[in-house]
């Protein structure tokens, strides 16, 4: 029964509120590009790459057409290919494993930690063993900073170093977050991120970037994004792809980056209020000491079997929810034949059955959030 029939539906992510705030700054930025007509790798692309590098502390930023391409560029620049194993979590968005297969390598799944949703570094040795047992050479590791929270990069680096693995951080959901007081972008050998509109820093279409401190990797990725160009685009030194960030999207992102620190703080306030309002009725996410999250998702855990009822009662009150992710990758049709680490992936299975995400964005005002918290509290038995 709908107890509050007159309240308007709440958006899961409110891109329109941000658009209103940015106002004519965006229109002017896009107009500048429309006037100079340098639509591919125009001056706004170079400018945004420099701003992003300054923001996160990485030496190089190479923008490209999507977060997925950012991961592909990273793996290709690292020389990962057929016969190589790329270790990644099973509880993540499919692109994390997809890119390993796209470059001809083999994804090998490792489990995650139930409290952080991120890669369990203790499982990496078992994944290396499974890769070797399958006749593969373990070459790279893709930790994911899921839902905006950094992975335990010190533990990941230690496990990777012991086995000589290259690290490509998948920060598609977490650009702007920090680990031990350093922003993501400088952990591992390279870091990929996405500007898909729903990500914490999104553009008005598809876009992505790779960050690295390694000059050789940066050079290779700049070549790869323009068909493997050498001294110019008619000098082809490697097989590449056509993957640039549109100049127009770079112009949009420069405007959005200016307000991003304020938005990160606003997201954190929203997350804190959710935690205070619901910690006694559900398992709420926590941020370990020394980390910050950009809260790409605000994800509760409920005992298996409870979340459908919660989703239904919230929906009846105009409150959307989402399940990220209902099926772990090792169970997906496209990925189920790839190796799983020797420790198994029990936590990934458990989380897939327990998680549910609530509306989260920088413009969620307190009365609206109170409506959500109140509805969750009424729907869940204490
Ligand atoms: C969104 C996402 C990607 C892919 O980014 P696109 O820009 O959509 O290609 C990769 N990995 C993770 C974890 C993501 O959430």
């Amino acid at each position: 029964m709908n107890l509050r029939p007159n309240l308007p539906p709440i958006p899961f992510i409110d891109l329109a509120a941000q658009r209103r705030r940015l106002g004519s700054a965006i229109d002017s930025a896009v107009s500048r590009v429309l006037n100079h007509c340098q639509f591919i790798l125009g001056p706004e692309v170079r400018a945004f790459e420099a701003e992003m590098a300054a923001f996160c502390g990485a030496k190089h930023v190479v923008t490209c057409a999507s977060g997925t391409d950012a991961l592909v560029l990273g793996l290709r620049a690292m020389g990962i290919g057929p016969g190589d194993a790329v270790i990644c979590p099973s509880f993540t968005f499919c692109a994390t494993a997809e890119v390993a297969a796209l470059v001809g390598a083999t994804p090998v799944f490792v489990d995650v930690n139930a409290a952080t949703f991120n890669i369990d570094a203790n499982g990496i040795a078992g994944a290396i063993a499974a890769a070797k047992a399958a006749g593969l050479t373990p070459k790279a590791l893709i930790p994911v900073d899921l839902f905006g929270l950094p992975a335990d990069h010190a533990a990941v680096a230690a496990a990777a170093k012991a086995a000589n693995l290259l690290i490509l951080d998948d920060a598609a959901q977490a650009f702007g977050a920090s680990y031990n007081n350093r922003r993501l972008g400088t952990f591992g050998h390279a870091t990929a991120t996405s500007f898909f509109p729903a990500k914490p820093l999104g553009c008005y279409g598809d876009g992505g970037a790779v960050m690295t401190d390694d000059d050789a990797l940066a050079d290779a990725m700049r070549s790869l994004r323009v068909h493997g160009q050498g001294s110019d685009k008619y000098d082809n030194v490697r097989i590449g792809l056509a993957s640039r960030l549109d100049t127009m999207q770079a112009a949009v992102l420069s405007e959005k980056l200016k307000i991003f620190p304020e938005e990160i703080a606003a997201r954190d306030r929203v997350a804190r209020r959710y935690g205070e309002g619901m910690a006694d009725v559900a398992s709420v996410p926590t941020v370990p000491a020394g980390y910050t999250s950009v809260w790409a998702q605000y994800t509760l855990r409920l005992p298996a079997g409870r979340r459908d009822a919660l989703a239904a009662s919230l929906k009846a009150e105009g409150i959307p929810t989402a399940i990220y992710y209902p099926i772990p990758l090792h169970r997906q049709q496209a990925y189920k034949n790839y190796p799983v680490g020797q420790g198994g992936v029990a936590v990934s299975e458990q989380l897939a059955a327990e998680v549910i995400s609530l509306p989260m964005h920088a413009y969620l005002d307190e009365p609206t959030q109170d409506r959500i918290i109140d509805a969750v509290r009424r729907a869940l038995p204490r």
Side-chain angles (χ1 to χ4, degrees):
M1 184 178 54
N2 189 347
L3 298 170
R4 284 160 174 70
N6 297 320
L7 292 171
I10 294 173
F12 192 70
I13 292 177
D14 193 350
L15 293 176
Q18 186 201 48
R19 173 72 187 95
R20 284 193 296 276
R21 172 181 176 184
L22 288 164
S24 60
I26 290 277
D27 303 41
S28 316
V30 170
S31 289
R32 277 197 299 280
V33 179
L34 288 173
N35 289 331
H36 69 49
C37 293
Q38 295 177 59
F39 299 120
I40 302 294
L41 296 179
E44 284 79 3
V45 173
R46 179 78 27 116
F48 174 64
E49 289 179 344
E51 290 155 13
M52 217 183 136
F55 182 85
C56 73
K59 187 170 175 194
H60 303 282
V61 174
V62 180
T63 53
C64 61
S66 70
T68 306
D69 277 6
L71 290 163
V72 168
L73 289 172
L75 290 178
R76 288 285 311 280
M78 289 173 178
I80 309 299
D84 297 337
V86 176
I87 296 166
C88 71
S90 178
F91 189 68
T92 177
F93 181 60
C94 64
T96 309
E98 184 180 40
V99 295
L102 277 175
V103 302
T106 303
V108 176
F109 296 113
V110 63
D111 210 1
V112 295
N113 177 290
T116 64
F117 305 126
N118 280 327
I119 189 166
D120 178 1
N122 296 320
I124 292 171
I128 290 169
K132 287 182 177 162
L136 302 164
T137 310
K139 281 269 184 72
L141 176 62
I142 309 185
V144 180
D145 309 296
L146 203 72
F147 303 154
L149 180 72
D152 183 351
H153 286 288
V156 166
K161 197 168 180 204
N164 221 1
L165 300 178
L166 293 163
I167 300 174
L168 174 60
D169 186 24
D170 182 349
Q173 302 182 4
F175 182 69
S178 58
Y179 175 81
N180 289 344
N181 297 315
R182 252 165 68 204
R183 284 219 164 99
L184 296 180
T186 55
F187 296 94
H189 299 89
T191 301
T193 196
S194 164
F195 306 121
F196 185 82
K199 310 283 178 172
L201 180 63
C203 61
Y204 290 146
D206 277 309
V210 202
M211 296 149 265
T212 186
D213 286 345
D214 184 310
D215 298 344
L217 281 182
D219 283 350
M221 295 188 294
R222 287 208 175 90
S223 161
L224 284 164
R225 75 176 168 179
V226 191
H227 302 288
Q229 74 173 12
S231 52
D232 65 60
K233 70 175 156 181
Y234 301 109
D235 175 31
N236 312 120
V237 298
R238 46 170 75 79
I239 304 295
L241 48 162
S243 184
R244 279 85 50 160
L245 178 70
D246 291 345
T247 308
M248 241 183 273
Q249 300 298 350
V252 166
L253 282 163
S254 281
E255 294 306 319
K256 290 200 180 195
L257 188 60
K258 289 180 193 160
I259 61 167
F260 193 42
E262 269 177 61
E263 292 186 333
I264 293 173
R267 285 171 173 277
D268 211 46
R269 278 195 300 277
V270 170
R272 250 172 246 271
R273 286 189 92 245
Y274 266 148
E276 286 159 12
M278 300 182 299
D280 59 334
V281 292
S283 169
V284 297
T286 55
V287 177
Y291 294 55
T292 64
S293 175
V294 289
W295 300 103
Q297 302 298 340
Y298 189 87
T299 303
L300 303 176
R301 283 174 60 198
L302 299 175
R306 287 261 185 87
R307 71 179 172 198
D308 288 353
L310 174 64
S313 26
L314 295 186
K315 189 173 177 208
E317 300 191 30
I319 301 168
T321 57
I323 310 294
Y324 302 115
Y325 297 90
I327 305 176
L329 293 186
H330 70 278
R331 288 215 180 272
Q332 291 281 359
Q333 183 183 336
Y335 297 95
K336 66 181 182 216
N337 295 323
Y338 292 120
V340 164
Q342 286 181 350
V345 283
V347 176
S348 300
E349 304 245 344
Q350 183 190 348
L351 290 177
E354 295 183 351
V355 290
I356 181 166
S357 301
L358 300 178
M360 164 55 79
H361 56 86
Y363 303 91
L364 189 58
D365 61 51
E366 294 190 359
T368 309
Q369 188 179 18
D370 288 341
R371 225 179 106 191
I372 300 168
I373 293 171
D374 181 54
V376 170
R377 296 189 67 83
R378 275 184 284 107
L380 291 177
R382 227 171 310 174

